[in-house]
Each structure stands twice: as C-alpha cells, then as structure tokens.
Amino acid sequence: MATAGKVIKCKAAVAWESSKPLVIEEIEVAPPQANEVRIKIVATSLCHSDLYILYESLDKSLFPTILGHEAAGIVESVGLGVTEFQPGDKVIPLFLLQCGECCFCKSPKTNRCEEAMKRHAQKSTEHSRLTCKGQKLQQFMGTGTFSEYTVMNQMAVVKIDPAAPLDKVCLLGCGVCTGYGAAVNTAKVEPGSTCAVFGLGAVGLAAVMGCKAAGAKRIIAVDINPDKFEKAKVFGATDFVNPKDYNKPISQVLMEMTGGGVDYSLECIGNVECMRSALESCVAGWGVSVIVGWTDLHDVATRPINLMLGRTWTGCLFGGFKGKDGIPRMVKAYLDKKVMLDEFITHNMTVDQVNDAIELLKNGKSIRTVMRFSPQ
C-alpha cells in the first residue's frame, strides 16, 4: 500500500484523563517495527472494560490512552520478520497474546501466555507507535482500537476468513467469546443442566447463548434491568429473575426455584457481592460457579463450608479461548449460523459519537455499539 513505511496521520478518540469525555484528535501512527503489524481498523465496539478503565480504575498512570480492544480491520503493512500476515488480510486484534512457544501456550489447560504477562509488567508506552501532540499514547490492552490505525505485535493478531463481515465479527474480540467460552470452555455446561447467568450485558447474553449451545435445559437470566429480559430470550434464556422483586437473597430465590440450586452459575457483572451470590446459588455437591465479570477493586469472599460441600469456584479470561486458535473457529461458527452476533448490536455510530456510545452503555441503554471511522 502507498502508506507502507510512512507515518500515517489519522483520527482517534483519546482519553487524556480519567472520568472525562474522550477527545477526537489527529494522531500519528508510526510504521510497524520488526514482528509488528499495522492495521486499519474498520469497526470497533465499546466494551464495559473500556468504561472500567475510564471511570473506575484507580491507576491514573494509564492515561493518556487510546481505549478500545474489541475490533476488526485490515492489515495495512507489516514489519520485518512478519510471515503470518500480508497487506489486505482481514484480522482481529487480540488483547490476550498467544506466542505459541511458552509452556502456557503449549498447554491445553490455559489461555495464559508468558509473553503477555511479560508485556503487562512493562511500561505500556514501550511498544506504542501512537503519538499525539508530541506525546506517546498508551494502547489499552495493547490494542487501542479507537484509532483509525493501530500497530500490534504479530502475536496479538489473528487472521480470519475473508468472507467475514468486519462490522459483525469485531464483537468476537472480547465480549462474545468471553461469555460464550465461560459456559462451554470453563464451566463445561452439560446437556440437560440448569444454569443461572448474572448480568445481561453482552458478556452475559453470550453466556446465555453458550449455555444453550451446550444443551442446558433451563437457563435463568438474572438482572435488575427488566428491559433486558426480552433480549435474553432471543439467546436462549428460559426464566427471568429481577432481584429487586424479592426481599430475600437472590441465592435463596434461585435455590427455591430449582429445588436446591443450579448446576452452573456465571457472574458476568464484575461485582464481588454478585460473585458470592452466584456461588451460593449453586447446588451443593457438584455446582460450578464461574467468575467472568472483571473487577480489581475489592476482595471476594464466602464461607469455607460453601466450597467444602463440593461447589467449585473458578474464573476465566476471554472465555478460556486461545485467541489465534479460538477466534477463527468462532468466525466460522458465525458464518455457519451456529453463533449469533447481529443480535448483540443495538446501535451503529461513527467514532466521532463515541461519547454518546459511552452514555448509552453507562445507562444500560445499549448492548453493543459498533463504531466506524466514517459513515457506511
């Protein structure tokens, strides 16, 4: 491409400081260095993790940053040593690297990566090729997809089917894989089982979809926003519970509904009290509860007897998927109409409207807003 080897000036939504609106700026994106790929972002969506960093995180050193980590795009150019990608390839950026060489990548037991952990410990501007007004910008989760172009290590990029619509499969970069995988990979939901999903955002709805795909007989959707119940039904929910309708713990409600507790529960909110409720909603003996929602602000606790009676409490990142292996399979499942994506999208906007998208998500008025850098 004509831009290969050159600095690209492009549009980006910059988070200069926490709890403030994002600012549309012209930034400079340097050419990719060795083992790096420069990507033109075609579509990016807003995830609650972006809001967590903007409004809840106590780490102010994360700014200024380019948020966004759920996206899809086209390779514009590649650096030296890159053999897996070439200009024109359709790709999805990965916030969870897969080097393919470390002991974690070689194990089927985990989707952790030694290289990812090493990079997480480094200053996050060290690998950034993005600057604005002479200042280096951090790339949230190593991705920074609220920029028209971004540069990433080839370990953090996966090539996908050229037939895939980028404005749909971008959702596989985080939320849908996270919820769906939590059910099928981590909980390992079994046919005929009873499940409870706490939180009906995109991750929770994807967990509902995963439970249904795994053959669950009964899927109880739990949320304090009754407007989300109809949407949950689309993905396979059979029952709906609003904790505000009861004057007793939601775990007690679910145990009474199911005659002792659910087989599987998935907490998709990121609230430590809900995590405890989800665990205590499980049947003693074999119940499995998975922590899916992200938070790093508080400790989570329960009484030891709740585990000693045979419940299992676990968690996962990105639904247990290894990105380079799992995302192409999920893209194929979507193209084969085995996984829903369109149904998650409630709004389509341009990146100029990112602050409107943030307000919608903050107020529970959207599931996923997909943004482009120019109108379709």
Side-chain angles (χ1 to χ4, degrees), residues 263-267 275 278-279 282 287-291 312-315:
D263 301 303
Y264 304 94
S265 68
L266 301 102
E267 196 279 351
M275 292 171 188
L279 172 71
C282 286
V288 174
S289 186
V290 183
I291 295 173
T312 299
W313 209 2
T314 188

Side-chain angles (χ1 to χ4, degrees), residues 152-224:
M152 301 181 64
N153 190 283
Q154 61 180 338
M155 292 182 288
V157 182
V158 59
K159 184 159 61 174
I160 60 170
D161 192 318
L166 298 180
D167 60 342
K168 303 297 191 296
V169 298
C170 62
L171 302 187
L172 295 173
C174 182
V176 172
C177 284
T178 295
Y180 188 89
V184 300
N185 297 331
T186 306
K188 294 181 170 58
V189 171
E190 296 177 337
S193 60
T194 296
C195 304
V197 176
F198 288 67
L200 298 178
V203 173
L205 292 173
V208 169
M209 181 169 66
C211 291
K212 182 180 180 183
K217 177 180 65 177
R218 192 177 185 189
I219 304 168
I220 304 168
V222 183
D223 201 290
I224 59 173

Side-chain angles (χ1 to χ4, degrees), residues 310-341:
R311 297 180 180 91
T312 299
W313 209 2
T314 188
C316 63
L317 282 174
F318 197 50
F321 282 110
K322 293 179 185 285
K324 284 180 179 281
D325 301 334
I327 283 183
R329 293 200 305 268
M330 289 293 282
V331 168
K332 184 178 188 306
Y334 169 70
L335 294 174
D336 291 343
K337 302 189 184 307
K338 294 178 181 177
V339 164
M340 291 184 277
L341 292 178

Side-chain angles (χ1 to χ4, degrees), residues 5-33:
K6 300 176 183 176
V7 171
I8 292 177
K9 292 185 177 182
C10 68
K11 182 189 295 185
V14 179
W16 288 105
E17 51 186 315
S18 66
S19 302
K20 295 292 177 67
L22 306 192
V23 181
I24 303 300
E25 303 274 17
E26 181 181 80
I27 71 165
E28 295 184 338
V29 182
Q33 302 301 302

Side-chain angles (χ1 to χ4, degrees), residues 260-282:
V262 298
D263 301 303
Y264 304 94
S265 68
L266 301 102
E267 196 279 351
C268 302
I269 303 164
N271 178 293
V272 295
E273 293 302 320
C274 291
M275 292 171 188
R276 179 171 185 166
S277 294
L279 172 71
E280 295 174 6
S281 301
C282 286

Side-chain angles (χ1 to χ4, degrees), residues 39-40 42 72-75 85-93 157-167 169:
I39 303 165
K40 178 178 175 61
V42 173
I74 297 171
V75 173
F85 305 96
Q86 59 185 15
D89 284 345
K90 285 187 175 182
V91 295
I92 289 178
V157 182
V158 59
K159 184 159 61 174
I160 60 170
D161 192 318
L166 298 180
D167 60 342
V169 298

